[in-house]
Amino acid sequence: MSVVNGALETKSAVELTGVSVFYGEVVGLSNVSLGLASGITGIVGPNGSGKTTLMRILCGLLAPLEGSVRVLGGQPFDDAEIRARIALVPAGSSFHDELTARRNLQVGFLARGKSDQEARALAERALDLTRLTSVAGQRYGTLSRGTRQRVKLGLALAAQAELVLLDEPFLGVDPPNRRALRDIILDLGSSTRTVLVSSHVLHEIESLTDRVGVLAHGRLLGFGRIESLLRDLRDRHPHRVEVQVEEPRRLASLLLGLPHVREIRVSAADRIEFVTDRPELAYRELPGLVTTSGTAVRRLEALDDGLEAVFRHVTEAGTKRL
């Protein structure tokens, strides 16, 4: 089961319980428990956070040292039939540079146990689904990074994998291919498939899904819908607020008297920015302070209300606990 926004989802394609992986003395994953249902889920984290290790566990390339892994009703490390229902699109190059895009796809489908005739048909389907028939005869190594990503994604699309694992799909991709990749991934997520996308390109994850997990140093530090994570973080982490006001120094002097305000600065002639340890309390007290100051507020903006803030707060907190 997975817990999302306080509710249990009972149909999970992926269930990890207390999973740990170590590379010698280096932690790959530490006591990770996670459930994924159909649709798109994002995993964000800095380099070395454990995103790729998680992908390898889910597709059966690694077995955990501790804990249990259940994917599509079985154990991918031990079950070839389960692995055949999973598609991994790795961050690094997995195709042959000297072969054409079409031939790489054919070889990929042959490796998945398809006949030569099936592999040829599926390769054409993959090129069509990713809108790459025009570059099918070009050598893979001559294609742009974004086009190569689309070729790799075509393998997962045409194979109709039930679990699709996308490891850093937007890394180094130019804007036109980024848009094309995003559309393809959204189409995947609208089907009955389970799609896991890892990235440190936070706004891209936010544009794909509102269901996000945050990894840092191998630990899953937060998981759920973005609005739920934000709500929790408002209470657990410092929060930055910008106020556009006629006389900023007058309001700033009153804010300085509040014990939960950690810092304050006048950022422009008509703006102040302050950091509070208790944002909910700050929002309740602010109207009274404005009335006392006798100055007019034109705009109030919470600067920590995006996934970027979630990522920053949670990973910083996780680092301090280690």
Side-chain angles (χ1 to χ4, degrees), residues 2 28 48-49 88 90 112 131 133 158 183 189 193 276:
S2 62
S49 62
L88 170 66
R112 294 181 70 90
R131 300 182 290 279
T133 53
D183 290 344
R193 307 183 199 198
T276 173

Side-chain angles (χ1 to χ4, degrees), residues 97 140-153:
D97 286 348
Y140 184 76
T142 66
L143 301 174
S144 70
R145 175 64 181 266
T147 304
R148 293 199 300 268
Q149 289 290 84
R150 287 164 65 185
V151 174
K152 289 191 293 182
L153 194 54

Side-chain angles (χ1 to χ4, degrees), residues 189-308:
S190 65
S191 67
T192 59
R193 307 183 199 198
T194 299
V195 182
L196 183 66
V197 186
S198 76
S199 184
H200 61 267
V201 185
L202 304 181
H203 69 275
E204 293 291 356
I205 292 291
E206 198 169 16
S207 73
L208 290 170
T209 180
D210 69 345
R211 188 168 56 196
V212 178
V214 183
L215 271 177
H217 301 281
R219 295 183 176 182
L220 186 65
L221 301 177
F223 180 76
R225 300 204 181 275
I226 293 174
E227 62 270 21
S228 178
L229 287 174
L230 288 169
R231 189 164 53 247
D232 292 342
L233 286 166
R234 287 192 188 102
D235 295 330
R236 294 193 287 120
H237 297 280
H239 197 71
R240 292 182 303 132
V241 180
E242 184 181 75
V243 185
Q244 185 178 8
V245 60
E246 286 182 350
E247 298 185 41
R249 295 186 184 278
R250 186 181 298 178
L251 181 59
S253 65
L254 295 173
L255 284 166
L256 282 172
L258 301 178
H260 55 79
V261 173
R262 291 176 47 172
E263 61 182 77
I264 187 168
R265 68 186 182 94
V266 178
S267 56
D270 63 345
R271 286 179 176 83
I272 59 173
E273 183 180 312
F274 68 92
V275 178
T276 173
D277 288 326
R278 299 188 61 189
E280 297 290 341
L281 180 58
Y283 293 137
R284 288 200 302 268
E285 294 177 336
L286 196 56
L289 295 178
V290 170
T291 300
T292 301
S293 69
T295 186
V297 170
R298 299 191 180 96
R299 186 176 61 86
L300 175 70
E301 181 180 0
L303 301 179
D304 287 338
D305 269 352
L307 183 56
E308 185 79 38

Side-chain angles (χ1 to χ4, degrees), residues 93-225:
S93 179
S94 57
F95 284 167
H96 300 282
D97 286 348
E98 68 277 9
L99 298 181
T100 65
R102 175 180 284 115
R103 186 55 185 162
N104 266 300
L105 287 166
Q106 291 171 359
V107 170
F109 287 115
L110 288 170
R112 294 181 70 90
K114 302 299 182 182
S115 68
D116 186 64
Q117 183 177 357
E118 289 173 327
R120 291 176 184 274
L122 286 168
E124 295 307 315
R125 174 170 168 76
L127 291 166
D128 181 58
L129 288 170
T130 54
R131 300 182 290 279
L132 291 176
T133 53
S134 62
V135 300
Q138 293 185 31
R139 287 193 302 115
Y140 184 76
T142 66
L143 301 174
S144 70
R145 175 64 181 266
T147 304
R148 293 199 300 268
Q149 289 290 84
R150 287 164 65 185
V151 174
K152 289 191 293 182
L153 194 54
L155 191 67
L157 281 166
Q160 296 187 323
E162 296 169 54
L163 173 63
V164 180
L165 307 171
L166 307 178
D167 194 7
E168 296 279 3
F170 299 105
L171 186 63
V173 175
D174 55 277
N177 275 303
R178 190 179 293 266
R179 287 191 293 271
L181 276 173
R182 177 179 174 274
D183 290 344
I184 293 169
I185 296 169
L186 287 172
D187 285 343
L188 274 171
S190 65
S191 67
T192 59
R193 307 183 199 198
T194 299
V195 182
L196 183 66
V197 186
S198 76
S199 184
H200 61 267
V201 185
L202 304 181
H203 69 275
E204 293 291 356
I205 292 291
E206 198 169 16
S207 73
L208 290 170
T209 180
D210 69 345
R211 188 168 56 196
V212 178
V214 183
L215 271 177
H217 301 281
R219 295 183 176 182
L220 186 65
L221 301 177
F223 180 76
R225 300 204 181 275

